[in-house]
Amino acid sequence: MITLPAELWNAIFDIAADEDIIFDHGLPTVMAESTWFNSADQWQLRAPQESLHLVQRRSYATKKAIISTCRTWRQLGSEFLVRCLFFDDPKKLQSLCSVLDRNSSLGWWTRRIHINRFYEGPHDAMDALVSIIRMCPNLEIFVVNWPISSGFGPVADALCTYCAKSLRTVHWHIPSETIPKVIWSLDSLQSLRSVHIEIESPTTETLYLGSAADLHLTLRNLEQLSLRGHFQDFLEQITGWSLPLLRSLSLDFMGTSDLPDIMEFLAQHGSGLMFLDLNCVCALNTAAVLDLCPSLTSLTFNADWYLSTQGDDSSSDTVTFVNRPHQNITEIGCHGLLESFGVGFGMSQIRTHIIQRTNEKNMAALTKVNFPNLKKVRVLSRPLLRALEKTDGPTAGSLQRWDKWWNMFYKMGVRLEDCTGALLGTLPQVDMDDDSDEEESESDDGDDDDDDEEEISEGPPRLAKGTINELRVLLDECRKMSSEREELSFPQLSFQSSHAVMDDAS
């Protein structure tokens, strides 16, 4: 083995572990890209959070290989093995606790604890988790994807006692009855920059906050706040707090129609927001929202919202999306749109027609007049994209709507994308080998932007396969032969197979 200074080996191991994204204090938003992967000869979509799990597993495998190579590498690489602690099986918590008990100095290196699955059956697992936190004084990121009910109190106490100065990011899944403990915890964790809280449905009609109801916190460092589930009481509670650095707000109501006073919250904290994600069923006044958030660069909304139309004519095709042009927004994400392309999600024909009509009005409002600096519109629904892959594109009756939207955004110079970041209409190749080199896929990632710019400059993706291909080619030929009809300046939208974005994990 080559003899090198320990500092140089550490630098090499750090590069090999590839942990930059793992230790990012920011949490993935809905605008983060999903990825295609092939499972049992069927294409599936991997959410950004799932991709991050895969990155952590691969990084751990690399670090485990490093310490298994020789005694010197084991001595130098042990700190890398414990920098990120990722658990799919809560039983492993007890094993790790035993290791840290034997060598407590290892916990000094831990920066991230991520528990993907957790259950509170055996009390030893909860006790082990609390003990591990106590031995990790430099912990920066704490993520638990599964709900913690009775055990949240001891876990929060351990974080506040031993990690208050170092902790920057938390991801908690809790029952509604635990909200008072969350408020007290946030009061102690003043160094937090990113907070995600998923709250389960309440078991009682009245939530008792106790003394926590009188707290008016000042979270000086909080930049990103993400709430999901039944957080109505919590949002109303924090409306009066001081959040001077809040730049990103995500609200996912998971289909519930019980909305808190979002406008009041935005009136207090919207002026500094740069990212706003509103994922709810009930329509909000987008014009009023944008007036309260002048600094926004990214906005997501539900394209199924029934927005007020200009004037008194409810049949008007123009909705009041803004009161005045919003100069700063560069990207817009669209929730919903599940009924727009005829792939079928079980609604009645009348209901489907109403939603499709609403979709057309809302998409027509995303213009350069309303958003002069708009660069990108992204369709966020993974179920929609999976359905389009299974049906090989939209139905014949919805293809015209697809073309209409594509042409509209193309003429404006706006990129129309799906949730993978690819051009809307790009589907995975059926005969693509899923065992292709990951290195090749990853090397393509660096060139995706250049490739996308070339695609936009040349026009929409070309046809790929099936009956749609033949019909569209015939249609183009008819247009060329017709002297009475004005020839379009670019080809119509169709589907192509993607070679750049279809990797097993991004």
Side-chain angles (χ1 to χ4, degrees):
M1 184 181 70
I2 301 176
T3 302
L4 294 175
E7 294 78 8
L8 187 54
W9 280 123
N10 284 336
I12 293 173
F13 295 159
D14 188 42
I15 295 174
D18 191 21
E19 296 173 315
D20 290 344
I21 189 174
I22 297 176
F23 296 127
D24 186 357
H25 293 155
L27 294 165
T29 68
V30 292
M31 292 296 284
E33 296 176 359
S34 303
T35 53
W36 287 106
F37 70 99
N38 199 298
S39 176
D41 295 330
Q42 291 185 349
W43 287 105
Q44 304 290 337
L45 279 169
R46 180 178 287 117
Q49 293 82 356
E50 296 170 346
S51 295
L52 184 58
H53 299 168
L54 190 60
V55 170
Q56 292 180 102
R57 294 187 184 97
R58 290 176 175 174
S59 178
Y60 176 79
T62 300
K63 292 179 287 188
K64 190 173 182 180
I66 288 174
I67 67 171
S68 302
T69 301
C70 63
R71 184 176 301 175
T72 301
W73 281 22
R74 182 179 183 85
Q75 181 180 0
L76 296 175
S78 294
E79 66 182 67
F80 292 90
L81 192 65
V82 298
R83 288 202 302 187
C84 174
L85 304 177
F86 179 81
F87 297 94
D88 264 332
D89 185 359
K91 296 178 181 178
K92 300 295 182 180
L93 290 168
Q94 300 178 41
S95 301
L96 175 63
C97 189
S98 300
V99 173
L100 295 180
D101 284 338
R102 293 193 299 268
N103 188 355
S104 58
S105 62
L106 286 176
W108 192 89
W109 298 100
T110 301
R111 296 170 56 190
R112 180 186 180 105
I113 295 178
H114 189 142
I115 302 176
N116 192 33
R117 293 184 178 89
F118 189 80
Y119 46 85
E120 301 181 41
H123 295 290
D124 292 343
M126 180 59 66
D127 294 340
L129 176 58
V130 173
S131 298
I132 291 171
I133 294 174
R134 291 174 178 172
M135 290 182 281
C136 301
N138 297 315
L139 185 66
E140 298 178 10
I141 303 172
F142 181 78
V143 178
V144 179
N145 291 334
W146 276 33
I148 298 181
S149 54
S150 60
F152 179 79
V155 169
D157 289 342
L159 292 173
C160 295
T161 303
Y162 300 96
C163 312
K165 294 183 179 179
S166 62
L167 198 61
R168 300 292 185 270
T169 303
V170 294
H171 182 294
W172 293 331
H173 189 159
I174 61 170
S176 296
E177 293 72 21
T178 315
I179 290 180
K181 296 180 181 179
V182 170
I183 295 175
W184 283 109
S185 300
L186 294 177
D187 187 32
S188 300
L189 301 174
Q190 289 292 319
S191 297
L192 287 176
R193 296 180 183 175
S194 300
V195 173
H196 173 88
I197 302 175
E198 182 168 345
I199 302 176
E200 297 182 324
S201 59
T203 56
T204 59
E205 295 183 0
T206 304
L207 176 65
Y208 296 97
L209 297 179
S211 58
D214 298 326
L215 289 180
H216 297 279
L217 306 187
T218 298
L219 303 181
R220 296 181 177 85
N221 298 300
L222 186 64
E223 300 176 3
Q224 180 182 14
L225 177 61
S226 175
L227 302 177
R228 189 169 189 262
H230 298 263
F231 56 82
Q232 293 84 350
D233 293 320
F234 182 72
L235 185 67
E236 292 179 354
Q237 181 69 20
I238 67 177
T239 296
W241 294 2
S242 177
L243 310 173
L245 293 184
L246 187 63
R247 299 293 179 265
S248 174
L249 176 66
S250 299
L251 303 178
D252 183 356
F253 290 85
M254 298 180 64
T256 179
S257 58
D258 182 17
L259 301 186
D261 193 347
I262 298 176
M263 302 307 296
E264 177 63 23
F265 183 90
L266 294 179
Q268 298 295 327
H269 308 288
S271 60
L273 289 179
M274 300 181 67
F275 178 90
L276 179 59
D277 171 31
L278 299 173
N279 187 3
C280 55
V281 176
C282 298
L284 298 175
N285 187 337
T286 57
V289 167
L290 294 175
D291 285 344
L292 295 173
C293 305
S295 301
L296 281 185
T297 59
S298 300
L299 170 71
T300 77
F301 76 106
N302 190 338
D304 295 343
W305 286 349
Y306 185 83
L307 302 178
S308 60
T309 56
Q310 295 183 0
D312 299 328
D313 185 6
S314 60
S315 63
S316 173
D317 291 333
T318 305
V319 298
T320 307
F321 205 95
V322 298
N323 289 326
R324 60 187 62 84
H326 199 293
Q327 300 293 333
N328 294 320
I329 288 182
T330 59
E331 59 179 12
I332 295 177
C334 298
H335 296 289
L337 296 175
L338 297 179
E339 300 295 328
S340 293
F341 304 118
V343 291
F345 285 87
M347 290 191 177
S348 65
Q349 185 175 358
I350 296 178
R351 179 63 177 166
T352 298
H353 176 75
I354 293 174
I355 293 179
Q356 289 177 347
R357 181 63 174 160
T358 301
N359 294 158
E360 291 178 355
K361 292 181 179 181
N362 292 339
M363 295 297 278
L366 307 183
T367 65
K368 286 284 189 175
V369 175
N370 292 334
F371 305 100
N373 292 305
L374 184 62
K375 304 297 182 184
K376 175 172 63 179
V377 173
R378 177 172 292 177
V379 177
L380 300 174
S381 174
R382 285 190 293 273
L384 173 61
L385 189 56
R386 285 195 295 265
L388 288 172
E389 190 277 328
K390 291 181 180 179
T391 59
D392 200 19
T395 61
S398 301
L399 200 56
Q400 183 178 2
R401 181 177 300 107
W402 188 295
D403 283 338
K404 178 182 178 181
W405 290 352
W406 179 274
N407 296 344
M408 179 185 73
F409 289 116
Y410 179 84
K411 291 177 180 178
M412 290 190 297
V414 175
R415 179 179 170 87
L416 181 60
E417 299 179 345
D418 59 30
C419 60
T420 69
L423 295 174
L424 185 62
T426 303
L427 299 177
Q429 184 177 353
V430 175
D431 58 352
M432 180 178 178
D433 185 4
D434 190 53
D435 295 328
S436 59
D437 292 339
E438 294 177 2
E439 290 79 10
E440 179 180 352
S441 298
E442 292 173 359
S443 65
D444 289 339
D445 290 343
D447 299 328
D448 280 350
D449 292 340
D450 295 337
D451 294 342
D452 293 338
E453 290 178 2
E454 291 178 2
E455 287 185 67
I456 289 181
S457 64
E458 294 174 0
R462 294 183 179 180
L463 294 162
K465 55 187 179 292
T467 306
I468 294 178
N469 187 3
E470 300 175 2
L471 293 175
R472 300 305 302 280
V473 171
L474 178 60
L475 180 60
D476 286 343
E477 291 296 327
C478 291
R479 285 172 174 163
K480 293 178 182 179
M481 295 173 60
S482 176
S483 59
E484 297 179 357
R485 301 177 65 182
E486 181 179 359
E487 183 178 359
L488 294 176
S489 60
F490 55 91
Q492 291 289 295
L493 171 66
S494 50
F495 302 92
Q496 80 171 29
S497 298
S498 171
H499 298 274
V501 299
M502 306 305 137
D503 55 304
D504 185 63
S506 176

